[in-house]
Amino acid sequence: KNALDATALNARKALGSIGIRRSPLGRQNGSGGRNIDKAKLKAQNDANLKNMFQVIDSDGWQHVITSDGEDPVTVWKKIIVPGTYLANDAANDEAAAKFACIKATAVISAPPQEVYKLFLDNSRVNEYNEHCAKLEDVEYLSKDTKIAWSATAAFANGIIKGRDFVTMVHYREQPDGALIAVNRPATHPSRPQGSKYQRAEVLLAGNVIRPVKGQPDKTFLTLITHINPGGIVDNAIGAAITNKM
C-alpha cells in the first residue's frame, strides 16, 4: 500500500516540464548485435497489452483501501490464475499464482504527458518508487521497447535479501490518448542471477495514463502489478503473509 501511495501521490510533486519525445526511449543503441524479429516483438507487445487490459477490466477485485485527501488513491487486490500472461521462458505463472495482483487508481494534478515523462526517466524512479535502489537500461530492442534491470535494497536490516528483476518494458501512445508503460518478465545474458540479490519476477506491471475529460491539467492513473518476490516468501505461508500486507 505504501509503495502504491508513493507511486500515485508523489507523482504530483515530482513532475517535470519536459515534453514527450516522438520516440519514447529517445536514444537508440541497437540490440547488441542480436537479430531482433520486429514482427514477433510487436505481436508480443500487442498480446501483453491485451492481457493487461483484460486483467484491469476483469471482475473479482477486492477493495483494500482508499486513502484520505483531495486526490485519494484506491487499491484493490485479486488472485490471478496461471496462464494469464504471455508465455515466455522467463515467466513462472505457477509460482506467481500464489501472490495477489494489485491494482490502484488515482487522479493526479498534472497533465498526462508530464506524468508519462516521469515513468520514462530512469533517474527519477525514486520520486515514485522508494524501494527501487537501482534501475538500468540493458538493451534497446526497438524505438519503444527495451530490457531493463532493477534492484531493491535489502529488507528487515538485511535479513531479507534485496530483489532484482529483469523486465521487458514497452511504451505506447494509444489513439484514444492513453499513454502506457507495460512490463513483462525477461532474461538477458548480461544480467544472470547472482548471489547479492534474490531474483524475483514482475509477471505483469503497467501504468495507464489517461486525460481527465474537461480537465487538461489532471491525469487518471491506473497502476497494476503482479510480482513473485521469490526466495523465502515463495511458498504458501509466505504468500499468505504477503497477500495480507
Side-chain angles (χ1 to χ4, degrees), residues 135-154:
L135 175 59
E136 301 172 4
D137 291 340
V138 176
E139 183 176 351
Y140 292 89
L141 304 180
S142 70
K143 66 181 182 180
D144 55 18
T145 306
K146 67 181 180 181
I147 292 178
W149 174 85
S150 60
T152 72

Side-chain angles (χ1 to χ4, degrees), residues 195-225:
S195 59
K196 183 176 181 180
Y197 298 102
Q198 171 64 51
R199 178 59 51 89
E201 278 196 327
V202 176
L203 269 291
L204 178 68
N207 299 291
V208 182
I209 300 159
R210 296 186 183 277
V212 175
K213 187 176 181 179
Q215 301 184 71
D217 291 331
K218 288 186 177 291
T219 294
F220 186 79
L221 174 67
T222 300
L223 176 152
I224 189 166
T225 182

Side-chain angles (χ1 to χ4, degrees), residues 116-196:
Y116 190 46
K117 177 60 183 177
L118 179 65
F119 291 115
L120 290 172
D121 189 345
N122 286 357
S123 68
R124 301 177 67 188
V125 64
N126 291 124
E127 297 178 20
Y128 61 88
N129 187 344
E130 62 185 304
H131 300 292
C132 187
K134 296 182 179 181
L135 175 59
E136 301 172 4
D137 291 340
V138 176
E139 183 176 351
Y140 292 89
L141 304 180
S142 70
K143 66 181 182 180
D144 55 18
T145 306
K146 67 181 180 181
I147 292 178
W149 174 85
S150 60
T152 72
F155 299 92
N157 294 320
I159 296 174
I160 300 177
K161 270 188 176 184
R163 265 51 183 168
D164 73 337
F165 306 84
V166 181
T167 57
M168 187 173 293
V169 189
H170 174 63
Y171 299 94
R172 185 171 296 192
E173 300 182 34
Q174 296 283 74
D176 65 357
L179 304 169
I180 299 167
V182 59
N183 295 10
R184 63 184 176 91
T187 58
H188 197 275
S190 72
R191 293 295 188 276
Q193 296 186 40
S195 59
K196 183 176 181 180

Side-chain angles (χ1 to χ4, degrees), residues 3-187:
L4 291 167
D5 281 354
T7 300
L9 297 178
N10 288 348
R12 295 200 303 268
K13 62 184 180 182
L15 299 172
S17 59
I18 305 174
I20 293 178
R21 298 181 290 261
R22 292 310 302 168
S23 170
L25 298 182
R27 51 188 276 255
Q28 302 298 316
N29 61 358
S31 54
R34 292 193 295 156
N35 292 321
I36 303 298
D37 186 334
K38 296 299 178 64
K40 181 179 179 179
L41 180 63
K42 182 180 184 305
Q44 290 175 338
N45 287 333
D46 289 345
N48 206 49
L49 275 172
K50 181 179 178 181
N51 289 339
M52 182 186 70
F53 281 114
Q54 285 177 340
V55 174
I56 289 174
D57 297 333
S58 64
D59 298 326
W61 289 98
Q62 176 187 347
H63 178 259
V64 176
I65 193 170
T66 297
S67 65
D68 298 324
E70 181 181 351
D71 295 325
V73 178
T74 301
V75 180
W76 296 266
K77 67 180 180 179
K78 178 182 178 180
I79 296 297
I80 305 296
V81 299
T84 299
Y85 307 104
L86 185 67
N88 62 69
D89 59 359
N92 187 340
D93 281 347
E94 293 288 344
K98 299 188 296 292
F99 298 95
C101 181
I102 301 297
K103 179 173 72 170
T105 60
V107 174
I108 297 174
S109 297
Q113 290 189 351
E114 294 189 13
V115 178
Y116 190 46
K117 177 60 183 177
L118 179 65
F119 291 115
L120 290 172
D121 189 345
N122 286 357
S123 68
R124 301 177 67 188
V125 64
N126 291 124
E127 297 178 20
Y128 61 88
N129 187 344
E130 62 185 304
H131 300 292
C132 187
K134 296 182 179 181
L135 175 59
E136 301 172 4
D137 291 340
V138 176
E139 183 176 351
Y140 292 89
L141 304 180
S142 70
K143 66 181 182 180
D144 55 18
T145 306
K146 67 181 180 181
I147 292 178
W149 174 85
S150 60
T152 72
F155 299 92
N157 294 320
I159 296 174
I160 300 177
K161 270 188 176 184
R163 265 51 183 168
D164 73 337
F165 306 84
V166 181
T167 57
M168 187 173 293
V169 189
H170 174 63
Y171 299 94
R172 185 171 296 192
E173 300 182 34
Q174 296 283 74
D176 65 357
L179 304 169
I180 299 167
V182 59
N183 295 10
R184 63 184 176 91
T187 58

